[in-house]
Amino acid sequence: MNGQSVADAKGFVYEPVRGPKRKIEFEPRSDGGFERIEAVWNGCQWRITGREVVTTMRRI
């Protein structure tokens, strides 16, 4: 992510006090929902650690 601390509108990157950087992205799906993708930085690239289909999202 070129050292950015915040991803674009589809997700975000955060750095916990302990451990590597993590990111959460929301990719649009053809059915109108989203796929939530979680990943952890391993020093060279993002490794996906989880994903699930999300049917509804809203700002809080």
Side-chain angles (χ1 to χ4, degrees):
M1 293 239 25
N2 302 331
Q4 296 175 347
S5 61
V6 178
D8 61 21
K10 69 180 185 175
F12 57 91
V13 173
Y14 63 96
E15 295 187 46
V17 173
R18 293 185 182 90
K21 291 189 288 191
R22 298 182 176 274
K23 76 175 177 176
I24 298 176
E25 293 182 289
F26 294 91
E27 295 286 341
R29 293 170 39 98
S30 60
D31 63 5
F34 296 87
E35 183 172 25
R36 182 187 53 79
I37 303 168
E38 293 183 26
V40 65
W41 183 250
N42 69 11
C44 298
Q45 63 186 5
W46 290 104
R47 181 177 58 84
I48 294 175
T49 58
R51 54 175 72 221
E52 71 178 331
V53 174
V54 177
T55 57
T56 305
M57 285 196 322
R58 62 184 170 88
R59 291 199 181 274
I60 57 170

